Amino acid sequence: DAKTTQPPSMDCAEGRAANLPCNHSTISGNEYVYWYRQIHSQGPQYIIHGLKNNETNEMASLIITEDRKSSTLILPHATLRDTAVYYCIVRAPGTSNDYKLSFGAGTTVTVRA
Amino acid sequence: EAQVTQNPRYLITVTGKKLTVTCSQNMNHEYMSWYRQDPGLGLRQIYYSMNVEVTDKGDVPEGYKVSRKEKRNFPLILESPSPNQTSLYFCASSLSGLYSPLHFGNGTRLTVT
């Protein structure tokens, strides 16, 4: 499995875009990038995932570099409710490791008024 | 409403007294999993189940048991709880493996004295 590296914490201003980086330099061709977030001890929440094309949904945008070694989750207009721990993971569907997953420490994002 | 329901939300018990934390999902998901979360350690997978009667160990299975007799239910059993099992526990489910987004319950905060 490709491992991911995220900064432990970051701040952003309310109303501004929050850009959350994730490094996955050992990603293989069939591995997808997934993002989840966890708001203050609630159950984690799925945000978005992608393979190589940029993806956008109602919550966020995911930008994956052309070499796929890194990605950025973009929260376009951060609000105080976006304060959370954000987890970046990579998985390959349909492989023997498709079922086993622990989450790392993630990035603690604090949105400030 | 599609959801993963865990019970109880809070539980205080004593060392050695068997307990069960229930988890139920109403989305007909094949995959279910249990996690524990401790400060600074992210979410670590305890056990997972790919389908009825199919379970396997995650990263931290010691001291826990699970069963999957029905598709919707995946209880976590602590036969002889110890203080080091004091933690926040989450149940999760997905349509099929980790390729599909995981849906998490609201958590069970367990204290073993």
Side-chain angles (χ1 to χ4, degrees):
Chain A
D1 291 341
K3 298 194 184 302
T4 62
T5 304
Q6 299 177 252
S9 65
M10 61 183 293
D11 287 0
C12 69
E14 187 179 23
R16 305 294 293 271
N19 298 297
L20 283 62
C22 180
N23 183 288
H24 32 79
S25 58
T26 60
I27 193 170
S28 58
N30 62 343
E31 288 185 308
Y32 285 70
V33 180
Y34 295 79
W35 284 84
Y36 287 80
R37 74 179 182 184
Q38 185 177 23
I39 298 173
H40 187 57
S41 297
Q42 296 178 19
Q45 175 190 24
Y46 164 80
I47 302 173
I48 198 168
H49 74 281
L51 181 62
K52 50 184 167 183
N53 297 321
N54 298 338
E55 302 287 345
T56 296
N57 63 20
E58 65 279 3
M59 290 181 68
S61 295
L62 174 60
I63 309 297
I64 303 173
T65 58
E66 192 168 340
D67 63 8
R68 303 207 328 119
K69 294 183 185 299
S70 66
S71 60
T72 301
L73 179 75
I74 301 172
L75 309 176
H77 304 285
T79 71
L80 299 178
R81 287 173 293 181
D82 292 321
T83 292
V85 178
Y86 288 77
Y87 301 99
C88 169
I89 61 175
V90 292
R91 304 306 294 173
T95 66
S96 60
N97 283 323
D98 193 20
Y99 303 105
K100 196 168 181 178
L101 172 67
S102 288
F103 290 63
T107 297
T108 299
V109 174
T110 303
V111 180
R112 301 192 186 280
Chain B
E1 179 189 352
Q3 59 186 1
V4 178
T5 303
Q6 293 178 232
N7 280 298
R9 290 294 307 277
Y10 300 91
L11 180 58
I12 301 174
T13 189
V14 296
T15 299
K17 186 176 181 182
K18 180 179 178 179
L19 66 90
T20 299
V21 184
T22 63
C23 175
S24 179
Q25 50 90 7
N26 62 359
M27 297 168 278
N28 201 36
H29 284 172
E30 289 186 348
Y31 178 87
M32 298 186 75
S33 182
W34 275 104
Y35 291 86
R36 62 177 288 173
Q37 185 169 34
D38 303 289
L41 295 178
L43 287 101
R44 294 179 292 168
Q45 191 175 40
I46 303 171
Y47 270 96
Y48 60 93
S49 169
M50 294 81 85
N51 214 325
V52 175
E53 302 290 5
V54 183
T55 63
D56 205 349
K57 297 176 181 178
D59 290 330
V60 288
E62 295 77 20
Y64 304 95
K65 285 176 58 177
V66 293
S67 68
R68 187 93 181 272
K69 293 183 168 48
E70 310 165 278
K71 202 170 191 178
R72 63 183 293 126
N73 296 323
F74 189 45
L76 179 70
I77 303 157
L78 285 71
E79 295 269 4
S80 182
S82 63
N84 64 12
Q85 292 178 299
T86 292
S87 188
L88 178 59
Y89 292 86
F90 289 102
C91 179
S93 73
S94 73
L95 189 61
S96 176
L98 294 163
Y99 172 66
S100 311
L102 283 166
H103 298 255
F104 283 81
N106 286 328
T108 295
R109 191 169 291 279
L110 171 66
T111 302
V112 183
T113 62

